[in-house]
Amino acid sequence: MVSAIDYALWIPVLPIVAFPIILFLGNVFKGMPAWRGRWKEGGTIATIVIGTCLGLSIWLIVGYIGQVTGNESVGQIGDWLSFHMVENGNLVSYSLGFGMYLDHVSVMLLFVASFLCFLIAIFSLGYMNSDPVNLDRNHRFYAEFLLFCAGMLGMVLADNFLWLFIFWEIMGLCSYLLIGFYYERPSASYAAKKAFLTTRVGDIFLLIGLLILWNLFGSLDFSVVWAEDNIAAVDAGTLKIALFMMFVGAVGKSAQFPLHVWLPDAMEGPTPVSALIHAATMVNAGLYLVARMFPFFASPAMAGEFTDLAMLIAWIGGITAFMAALIAFVQMDIKKVLAYSTMSQLAYIFTGLGAALWFANTGHEEIALLAFGASMFHLFNHAMAKGMLFMASGSVIHEMHHVHHEVAHHDSGESAAGNAAGGDHDGGQGGGDDHDHFDAQDMSNMGGLASKMPITATAMAVGSASIIGIPLIGGFWSKEGIIGAAWKASLTSGGAWMLGPALLLLITAGMTGFYMSRMWFMTFAGKPNTPVANGVVEQTPFIPIPLITLTVVTLGGIVFAGFEFVHWVADGHAEMHFTHVLSGIGSEMKHAFLPSGEENGALIFLVTMLTIVISTIVGPATAMALYGGRLQKGEKAKPWLAWLVSLSSRVRRNNHFDNSIWANSGLADSLHQRLHFDAWYDAAMLKIVVPFANACAWFDQHIIDGAIKGIEYGSQEGSSVIRRLTTGSGRDYIMMVALGTLAIFVLIWGVA
Amino acid sequence: MISNAKMQMRDREFALISGLLAISAVLMYLFPSFAVENSAGQIDWITLPLVAFPLIAGTVLMAFASMQPYRLKDRIGQPIKLISLAFALMMLGISSGLLFGWLESINWDLSQYNRYELDFEYAWIQSIGVSWHVGLDGLSFSMVWLTTVLIPIVMITTWEEKIGWYHHPLILMMGGALIGVFVALDFFMFFVFWEMTLIPMFFLILKWGGDDRRYAAQKFFIYTFTGSVVMLLGIITLYFLQPSSQALVDQGVLTGRTFDMTQMAIGAQAAANADIAWLGIDMQKALFLMFLLGFLVKLPAVPFHTWLPDAHVQAPTAGSMLLAGVMLKMGGYGLFRVCATLFPEALLEYQWLLLTIGMVSLVYGSFVCLGQTNLKRLVAFSSVSHMGIILLGIATMEPLGFAGAIFMMFAHGIISPLLFAVAGAFKHHYHTLEIGSMRGMAKHSPWLATFMMFGWMASLGLPLLAGFVAEITVLIAFWKAFGWWVILPGITLIVTAAYYLWSMQKTIFEGGDDGEMPESLGGAPAPDISLWEVSGMMLLAMLTVLFGVLPWIFFDMMTGYAYGLFDGILLNVITGGA
């Protein structure tokens, strides 16, 4: 019988193979009408390939869920490298293999990655191919896009840490290529370099961590390093160092403090790339790696050994969540708000994982699994919501850009859409110049789009609600779990230090409510701030498909919750069955709103309610008071959005408060400077590394090669000195012969 | 893209080529019937086809062409280049045939100390114990295959080089000489070929080099020659230190001594088995250092590296590609073939020295790279840095480290020619090598930009490309041997990424919608690279991917070699010393 696992290898291989094919075809057929039209400059191929991957993944997943045991299935394919090492005076042979490993975590991520990649591919067909800037180079986008997907899919499927690292690096390369897609822009090339180098710093830590791990276990296969007996046999201190080093790698990849600086700049890439990096693939890689450390922490042999490391993970998460939310307050670029939001939400997951690892390491297995499940569920919810948010922001930017293009062309009589308002060039100077001063991503140029882009506005609202954690929508279920886990940990004996991250997460929940609402209201509520925003309509094909799909998925978070997703992803033993959905929802609701019967139940209940209040009411209400507003006269939003807009205008009218003190404060200034991290890193690079390198180069040229040149010069000089002795005059030669003879006699005499 | 490849030929030339090709095909077909066989019944594929033919053919072609009247020289360029290429492809065919077992059934993975999968010996200068002894094992075969695959690729890449009737035969000769080094199992032969490689390279630099080529060629020649002279002293000392054997005297060897490496290795192994240092530990250390100097200069390692950037900057594309691709590997090869095989005790004693020099080369080299503004100097110093990894691999004294170091030689042998092909094309098309003199290469030379990015990425150790396999294997062994010192290579990996990304940012990227042209072009448009260059680079890129994804094709062979070396002699020494 043919089973899906036999074809699983094709999931990463197909896109990798398609990568050079699209590049090649694109270079050959560049500019041809059919290539641009039917083939979408490679987009068709990419969509088909990634669709096939999605199909294979679903086949795999369905088969996997069907297994009641929920155990991992391993497909070892073969040895990649085999070699020998000297052990106690003997040659022992080892090998690094490759194969596939499937369990509940990898299956979940496999679905997230392939599903989102597929939707983003569809989105790109609309977004990339209708923008003249991308003309004749979309094949590069689609090829690199596929390689990126292959990196993520391969990483998730890998059965050992070496291949995890290999695909991890492939993703690093692709992020470099895609962030630098608009290579002609200095900012894009700088951002690409920054992303690669920053994550590279983390990667080196990860690599060293893997070296230590290999040395401990003599293997990097999951099945070997997770085996209870093997873990029990190694030194806990060394293992902790290895895990710490690997965690730093995850910090780099998932853009956590202090290696977070690359992520906001990564917005230089086209919007589908942002969706790809921030939702589907790259940033999840770091979380996946930390999740893969769970067995080490849960091992009874290591109980109590790694509590401080788990605490560190939670703290890094807490700090990043808070810091990113703070910076998101002042961002005007719609994509940058989302970038910081990503950073902040990933930090939630890190804290959740930190708490889960802490519980696992202190022997609270059941609650550890719950926290772990909640973190993974948040990863799922965040990926879906953030993918949608990025695509929705892309939709806004695309239409803004499009209208601006037409407004700018209005005078020259090119096809101006009837709804393009007036000839007022706000900042736009020249006719065909796409890179003039108008910023299609700046939220201050938007406003009032709720009626003009109903699908986008809805998607954005649902996505924001999920990120904020509005009750019953996607992210709510998981975020409550994470915050609850952090608080529970802080109340457990020995976990007092967890109070910091727990508090930070609680505050951040309210801040999330503020900045996400701020983004939505600035973009969609109020009156259009520019003529360009006034002329926007939703008209690009393909873009609505992923938006609607993901809206449904996000709204369906309650169903996933009812499926006991949390339990399933944690240990794979929950029964995923339709008949249980309703009772599952009931128990989840009770769990979320009325946690009782547990230790400190009252306090957890209080925390839960507090979270709901500040994230759902305080944060959004503040945003409404500052940025809300009625739509333009005559414009009418869809009924499910209209109440939101009118509520916001009412809140603003009733509570108009002035935030100029904050906006002009030194804090806001620091936030605009991203808390100066970028400046410090740049300064360290320019003031220390570069001068040192220049000194090395100088040393090499003047001292080392100078010595060689000195010898050259010395030998030339010396030979010309000696040449002076050959005067050519007989008298001198007779003199020398006489002296020589004398010397020989003296020597002989002396010896004798 | 195809810049008129001048493929038109006259009938006479066509006849000449097809005739020669037909003759060589017939010769090749008949070769097994008249070729010499050794006692194991293997045909000698090495002596004539891999070493003698290219040397003779190169000389004959050059002599033939230079005797032609001046007005004909341009016209015979094309056929002579084609014949050179045909010879190069024939060599590639033979080495690939040996690899895949089409010609002889050989399992390259099963190496043993001092046993060669192909082994042929003929008397040469019997009175002093010199023989023509050639052989191939897991170590040398990978290098020979690398050479045979590089020679045709170099020819293709530099197809449009001026004075082709002189250029391509020189490359062919270079190939013969290089293979001679790798197959030699006799110190006399080894040294002869070692020095012979200098000659074609010297002329390549002198004839096709940049403005300062005279200085560079002389520096290259004299510097490496000086290193070799010390090695020669080592060889002579070694020769006279070995005990005189009556058996050899009876065979007609006047001194009773031999230059044969395999004979010496037997002695070394016997001594190691008896737990004594062969030739005495002090003498062994002295010899080790003498050889080491010769190899380090060639490798090159800091502080003996300054000839390399000068030579590379001035050398033409073909010269750079072969210099970085194969000639540097002679140093690493020698370390294994001589130092590790014959002087194991001294190797163990001087582990710290190799570690220090390797580490300095690696770390210091990478920082010097970061301070360069000349593209070729940058790539040259990156070679110095990568060669440090070979020394580190040896210093680990682990079979894995050895195998990784050999794979590094192999991987660098594929990747660095690509880097230099790119740098050469850059020079050719923009008339400058300054990084930052122009921007937006992706716009006006997309193919060059593609290969530049590929090569740079391969060189900074991206997974699934050949360089990564070498780095990860050496690092695994390194951690086991030296622990936290791994931080230094780690920093180097970051610095390597930094200088490569920086140089790409300042060449491929930026430049606005139209890109920025260098002043050296004087406003003329920069064409993209020719089809020849694209083909050559494409082949190198494909090889890089091939050996990055399927490294075991050669890695198993290198593992086998390292196993044989440890099993045969080094393990005895390590455990004996402990």
Side-chain angles (χ1 to χ4, degrees):
Chain A
M1 198 194 118
V2 182
S3 78
I5 191 98
D6 301 331
Y7 292 89
L9 186 62
W10 289 105
I11 295 176
V13 167
L14 268 182
I16 284 191
V17 172
F19 161 71
I21 293 177
I22 293 182
L23 267 190
F24 181 77
L25 292 179
N27 269 329
V28 173
F29 296 120
K30 193 156 63 183
M32 288 189 182
W35 177 249
R36 281 183 187 170
R38 185 177 308 157
W39 291 96
K40 295 277 182 197
E41 296 196 48
T44 316
I45 304 175
T47 314
I48 292 171
V49 166
I50 204 72
T52 316
C53 290
L54 175 64
L56 284 172
S57 305
I58 290 177
W59 186 12
L60 206 59
I61 292 162
V62 168
Y64 181 76
I65 290 174
Q67 291 176 353
V68 187
T69 53
N71 282 330
E72 56 281 337
S73 43
V74 183
Q76 179 81 28
I77 295 171
D79 284 348
W80 194 51
L81 295 172
S82 44
F83 49 84
H84 307 273
M85 297 281 253
V86 179
E87 305 278 356
N88 304 323
N90 289 309
L91 290 168
V92 183
S93 90
Y94 290 101
S95 66
L96 292 167
F98 64 97
M100 272 166 305
Y101 186 92
L102 279 179
D103 66 355
H104 36 279
V105 179
S106 53
V107 158
M108 193 272 288
L109 263 153
L110 190 64
F111 175 74
V112 168
S114 53
F115 181 61
L116 280 173
C117 286
F118 180 62
L119 290 179
I120 295 168
I122 294 177
F123 176 80
S124 307
L125 293 180
Y127 185 90
M128 297 300 286
N129 288 64
S130 56
D131 194 340
V133 177
N134 303 325
L135 206 60
D136 287 340
R137 54 174 167 178
N138 276 322
H139 60 275
R140 205 156 61 75
F141 170 80
Y142 287 114
E144 290 159 5
F145 173 88
L146 279 184
L147 192 60
F148 208 140
C149 301
M152 186 65 192
L153 297 169
M155 192 204 78
V156 169
L157 283 172
D159 80 332
N160 62 57
F161 280 111
L162 177 70
W163 279 87
L164 186 148
F165 179 76
I166 288 174
F167 284 111
W168 174 284
E169 287 284 286
I170 297 283
M171 272 192 280
L173 166 75
C174 292
S175 72
Y176 173 73
L177 294 172
L178 285 170
I179 294 170
F181 182 71
Y182 297 117
Y183 57 81
E184 69 278 3
R185 299 181 190 163
S187 56
S189 74
Y190 172 76
K193 186 180 73 169
K194 189 169 173 180
F196 194 95
L197 279 184
T198 316
T199 52
R200 182 90 176 167
V201 172
D203 294 353
I204 299 306
F205 278 89
L206 171 58
L207 181 64
I208 295 176
L210 296 187
L211 297 181
I212 303 175
L213 205 62
W214 194 90
N215 201 36
L216 282 177
F217 291 97
S219 171
L220 289 174
D221 289 354
F222 292 158
S223 51
V224 176
V225 296
W226 289 343
E228 191 54 53
D229 299 345
N230 294 341
I231 296 179
V234 302
D235 174 44
T238 321
L239 182 57
K240 183 154 88 180
I241 296 172
L243 293 177
F244 169 74
M245 301 298 263
M246 289 160 71
F247 169 63
V248 177
V251 164
K253 210 65 162 183
S254 290
Q256 299 294 297
F257 171 84
L259 294 177
H260 61 278
V261 289
W262 64 272
L263 194 131
D265 286 310
M267 294 300 128
E268 286 292 338
T271 307
V273 174
S274 311
L276 197 63
I277 293 178
H278 293 80
T281 57
M282 189 152 149
V283 293
N284 292 342
L287 300 170
Y288 178 70
L289 181 66
V290 175
R292 283 305 189 203
M293 296 179 190
F294 193 79
F296 298 115
F297 283 78
S299 161
M302 293 293 152
E305 295 282 356
F306 304 142
T307 47
D308 39 359
L309 183 58
M311 206 62 95
L312 177 76
I313 296 175
W315 267 97
I316 293 281
I319 293 171
T320 316
F322 182 73
M323 182 191 73
L326 210 55
I327 301 179
F329 278 10
V330 300
Q331 294 302 316
M332 293 308 287
D333 186 316
I334 186 167
K335 275 170 76 179
K336 291 232 164 117
V337 177
L338 291 176
Y340 282 104
S341 152
T342 305
M343 211 190 269
S344 182
Q345 295 306 310
L346 293 172
Y348 267 94
I349 307 174
F350 266 105
T351 309
L353 284 172
L357 296 177
W358 189 83
F359 278 124
N361 202 229
T362 48
H364 303 78
E365 198 193 340
E366 197 175 329
I367 197 166
L369 283 177
L370 265 185
F372 183 80
S375 306
M376 287 294 113
F377 192 28
H378 198 58
L379 193 162
F380 177 85
N381 285 327
H382 171 257
M384 295 299 160
K386 199 44 72 65
M388 172 163 66
L389 283 169
F390 267 110
M391 285 191 258
S393 78
S395 168
V396 173
I397 295 164
H398 190 67
E399 302 301 351
M400 291 281 288
H401 196 75
H402 184 76
V403 174
H404 166 66
H405 200 65
E406 294 199 340
V407 170
H409 280 81
H410 196 68
D411 289 341
S412 52
E414 278 196 43
S415 66
N419 47 23
D424 183 10
H425 292 217
D426 50 338
Q429 299 300 318
D433 189 3
D434 287 318
H435 307 295
D436 50 27
H437 304 299
F438 182 78
D439 186 354
Q441 307 190 6
D442 194 332
M443 291 191 293
S444 61
N445 289 332
M446 301 172 185
L449 299 182
S451 57
K452 301 173 199 302
M453 309 185 74
I455 299 175
T456 309
T458 312
M460 206 76 148
V462 173
S464 303
S466 173
I467 298 288
I468 294 172
I470 306 274
L472 307 187
I473 297 177
F476 166 75
W477 302 101
S478 44
K479 199 183 239 183
E480 288 301 325
I482 289 176
I483 297 179
W487 277 95
K488 276 178 211 161
S490 70
L491 294 172
T492 314
S493 72
W497 277 98
M498 202 61 98
L499 196 61
L503 262 175
L504 284 170
L505 285 200
L506 188 60
I507 301 168
T508 309
M511 292 161 77
T512 312
F514 175 73
Y515 72 74
M516 290 307 290
S517 315
R518 170 181 176 267
M519 179 196 75
W520 196 89
F521 290 117
M522 279 185 90
T523 312
F524 294 103
K527 300 186 173 43
N529 292 328
T530 56
V532 171
N534 198 21
V536 164
V537 281
E538 252 172 357
Q539 43 114 5
T540 313
F542 295 109
I543 288 183
I545 303 173
L547 292 184
I548 294 168
T549 316
L550 284 172
T551 307
V552 173
V553 171
T554 305
L555 284 175
I558 190 167
V559 181
F560 286 103
F563 270 132
E564 302 197 332
F565 191 98
V566 170
H567 299 272
W568 174 73
V569 80
D571 56 9
H573 283 284
E575 295 171 46
M576 299 269 277
H577 204 275
F578 287 100
T579 53
H580 298 289
V581 172
L582 278 182
S583 63
I585 291 176
S587 76
E588 285 294 311
M589 295 265 261
K590 183 168 168 295
H591 196 76
F593 292 107
L594 296 168
S596 62
E598 295 168 21
E599 233 181 312
N600 304 310
L603 198 119
I604 299 299
F605 174 73
L606 197 71
V607 166
T608 309
M609 286 303 140
L610 197 60
T611 315
I612 293 174
V613 168
I614 65 169
S615 64
T616 315
I617 299 171
V618 179
T622 321
M624 282 179 189
L626 282 168
Y627 304 102
R630 200 180 290 281
L631 292 183
Q632 218 172 4
K633 256 194 180 52
E635 296 280 345
K636 206 158 162 44
K638 295 282 182 219
W640 56 86
L641 294 175
W643 67 272
L644 200 57
V645 175
S646 61
L647 178 70
S648 76
S649 76
R650 212 169 309 148
V651 171
R652 187 172 189 178
R653 237 179 306 130
N654 297 340
N655 310 288
H656 194 80
F657 67 86
D658 189 17
N659 71 334
S660 57
I661 299 174
W662 283 106
N664 298 325
S665 67
L667 176 66
D669 191 48
S670 302
L671 291 179
H672 278 293
Q673 302 295 321
R674 304 162 171 193
L675 296 173
H676 306 288
F677 278 107
D678 301 57
W680 290 339
Y681 289 164
D682 273 356
M685 193 75 190
L686 287 176
K687 298 256 164 65
I688 300 169
V689 179
V690 171
F692 179 68
N694 286 336
C696 282
W698 183 89
F699 178 82
D700 198 78
Q701 194 151 21
H702 292 93
I703 308 294
I704 298 187
D705 200 36
I708 302 298
K709 287 222 168 68
I711 295 172
E712 288 166 17
Y713 183 75
S715 61
Q716 280 175 1
E717 285 295 295
S719 69
S720 64
V721 168
I722 291 171
R723 198 168 52 202
R724 240 175 271 146
L725 291 176
T726 52
T727 51
S729 104
R731 233 175 18 178
D732 293 345
Y733 292 159
I734 292 169
M735 177 75 175
M736 279 184 232
V737 168
L739 278 176
T741 319
L742 198 63
I744 291 169
F745 274 119
V746 168
L747 276 176
I748 291 172
W749 183 62
V751 171
Chain B
M1 203 169 60
I2 310 166
S3 65
N4 53 18
K6 290 179 193 148
M7 288 294 284
Q8 325 84 320
M9 278 179 287
R10 301 288 164 80
D11 294 345
R12 208 184 57 162
E13 285 142 10
F14 187 75
L16 179 71
I17 298 161
S18 23
L20 274 167
L21 285 182
I23 292 170
S24 24
V26 171
L27 273 178
M28 274 308 300
Y29 180 73
L30 292 177
F31 180 72
S33 60
F34 65 77
V36 192
E37 289 185 11
N38 66 1
S39 53
Q42 290 165 319
I43 296 171
D44 186 354
W45 294 102
I46 305 169
T47 307
L48 284 177
L50 287 182
V51 181
F53 283 0
L55 285 171
I56 295 168
T59 321
V60 169
L61 284 173
M62 238 186 308
F64 168 75
S66 61
M67 280 187 295
Q68 300 302 310
Y70 184 76
R71 61 190 166 78
L72 276 180
K73 276 188 178 145
D74 279 345
R75 278 178 45 198
I76 55 171
Q78 204 70 7
I80 286 192
K81 285 193 282 191
L82 276 174
I83 295 168
S84 308
L85 183 62
F87 266 101
L89 289 175
M90 176 206 78
M91 286 154 69
L92 176 61
I94 289 174
S95 66
S96 304
L98 291 173
L99 172 63
F100 296 114
W102 300 327
L103 298 180
E104 299 286 344
S105 65
I106 300 168
N107 187 350
W108 291 104
D109 304 348
L110 298 175
S111 265
Q112 271 178 29
Y113 178 75
N114 205 24
R115 198 198 73 193
Y116 302 89
E117 313 306 322
L118 282 176
D119 193 343
F120 307 96
E121 189 173 3
Y122 314 95
W124 192 6
I125 312 174
Q126 211 165 14
S127 54
I128 55 168
V130 172
S131 59
W132 177 276
H133 191 173
V134 292
L136 284 175
D137 63 354
L139 170 68
S140 50
F141 182 67
S142 54
M143 292 297 116
V144 167
W145 193 83
L146 174 69
T147 314
T148 55
V149 78
L150 271 187
I151 296 291
I153 290 178
V154 168
M155 286 181 178
I156 290 169
T157 314
T158 59
W159 194 258
E160 289 171 331
E161 194 69 80
K162 54 184 190 281
I163 338 180
W165 59 265
Y166 185 5
H167 185 258
H168 279 53
L170 262 185
I171 297 177
L172 195 61
M173 287 174 72
M174 186 80 198
L178 286 167
I179 292 176
V181 174
F182 294 131
V183 298
L185 291 178
D186 182 284
F187 271 116
F188 190 88
M189 254 182 91
F190 180 73
F191 189 76
V192 166
F193 282 113
W194 182 277
E195 295 300 327
M196 196 189 280
T197 55
L198 294 181
I199 300 165
M201 187 55 72
F202 179 76
F203 283 107
L204 274 175
I205 298 177
L206 199 62
K207 191 89 186 170
W208 289 268
D211 296 335
D212 208 9
R213 54 183 181 270
R214 261 169 209 287
Y215 172 72
Q218 282 176 13
K219 185 170 184 174
F220 159 74
F221 197 100
I222 295 173
Y223 205 136
T224 56
F225 192 79
T226 312
S228 313
V229 165
V230 180
M231 187 176 85
L232 179 63
L233 290 178
I235 291 176
I236 293 169
T237 318
L238 184 59
Y239 178 73
F240 281 108
L241 272 180
Q242 56 176 315
S244 174
S245 123
Q246 191 54 47
L248 286 173
V249 175
D250 293 344
Q251 283 171 28
V253 183
L254 297 179
T255 56
R257 295 179 172 88
T258 172
F259 277 102
D260 197 324
M261 288 182 200
T262 57
Q263 297 298 324
M264 295 184 189
I266 292 171
Q269 191 180 22
N273 283 339
D275 266 343
I276 47 171
W278 186 54
L279 307 177
I281 185 69
D282 293 328
M283 213 56 231
Q284 216 183 80
K285 279 159 82 171
L287 285 169
F288 179 86
L289 288 179
M290 283 164 146
F291 278 98
L292 187 68
L293 184 74
F295 297 144
L296 286 187
V297 168
K298 205 72 172 192
L299 197 54
V302 177
F304 309 113
H305 64 286
T306 53
W307 62 270
L308 186 79
D310 282 333
H312 269 311
V313 171
Q314 299 304 329
T317 307
S320 294
M321 286 171 80
L322 283 176
L323 186 58
V326 198
M327 267 191 96
L328 305 189
K329 310 304 175 303
M330 288 161 53
Y333 172 80
L335 282 173
F336 285 104
R337 180 59 84 223
V338 181
C339 293
T341 312
L342 297 181
F343 314 127
E345 281 89 359
L347 181 65
L348 203 63
E349 286 278 329
Y350 284 117
Q351 195 182 7
W352 63 270
L353 183 67
L354 292 180
L355 175 68
T356 314
I357 295 179
M359 197 61 97
V360 170
S361 297
L362 180 67
V363 181
Y364 169 83
S366 73
F367 274 105
V368 175
C369 264
L370 198 57
Q372 298 303 317
T373 56
N374 181 302
L375 200 63
K376 268 198 169 177
R377 282 187 84 85
L378 181 125
V379 178
F381 276 108
S382 86
S383 283
V384 175
S385 182
H386 282 104
M387 291 301 103
I389 295 179
I390 295 178
L391 291 177
L392 291 188
I394 299 174
T396 58
M397 294 300 277
E398 287 283 345
L400 174 61
F402 277 37
I406 303 171
F407 200 84
M408 186 77 213
M409 285 155 59
F410 184 77
H412 187 262
I414 299 169
I415 295 168
S416 65
L418 179 56
L419 304 184
F420 281 108
V422 167
F426 191 94
K427 165 90 178 162
H428 191 198
H429 292 285
Y430 295 110
H431 302 296
T432 176
L433 279 169
E434 279 302 299
I435 299 165
S437 63
M438 45 75 71
R439 295 284 202 284
M441 190 160 80
K443 197 75 158 193
H444 33 84
S445 300
W447 278 105
L448 185 56
T450 308
F451 286 117
M452 178 168 176
M453 184 167 282
F454 183 92
W456 269 216
M457 284 295 168
S459 186
L460 68 80
L462 198 80
L464 294 188
L465 302 178
F468 173 75
V469 180
E471 280 177 15
I472 185 89
T473 45
V474 170
L475 284 180
I476 290 177
F478 187 87
W479 171 266
K480 183 159 183 286
F482 304 114
W484 283 104
W485 285 105
V486 80
I487 287 177
L488 288 172
I491 291 173
T492 310
L493 289 179
I494 299 172
V495 175
T496 307
Y499 64 72
Y500 276 137
L501 293 192
W502 169 77
S503 64
M504 280 198 284
Q505 185 192 357
K506 297 293 170 205
T507 48
I508 295 179
F509 289 93
E510 300 189 352
D513 284 342
D514 304 318
E516 246 174 69
M517 289 297 188
E519 285 174 14
S520 51
L521 273 182
D528 205 351
I529 47 179
S530 71
L531 188 58
W532 292 110
E533 283 165 315
V534 169
S535 322
M537 294 180 196
M538 184 79 88
L539 287 169
L540 287 170
M542 281 156 68
L543 287 174
T544 310
V545 175
L546 176 70
F547 294 110
V549 179
L550 314 174
W552 65 79
I553 299 175
F554 276 99
F555 194 83
D556 282 356
M557 181 188 301
M558 294 158 185
T559 299
Y561 169 76
Y563 180 85
L565 196 55
F566 273 80
D567 192 43
I569 190 163
L570 278 174
L571 206 56
N572 259 334
V573 174
I574 294 170
T575 50

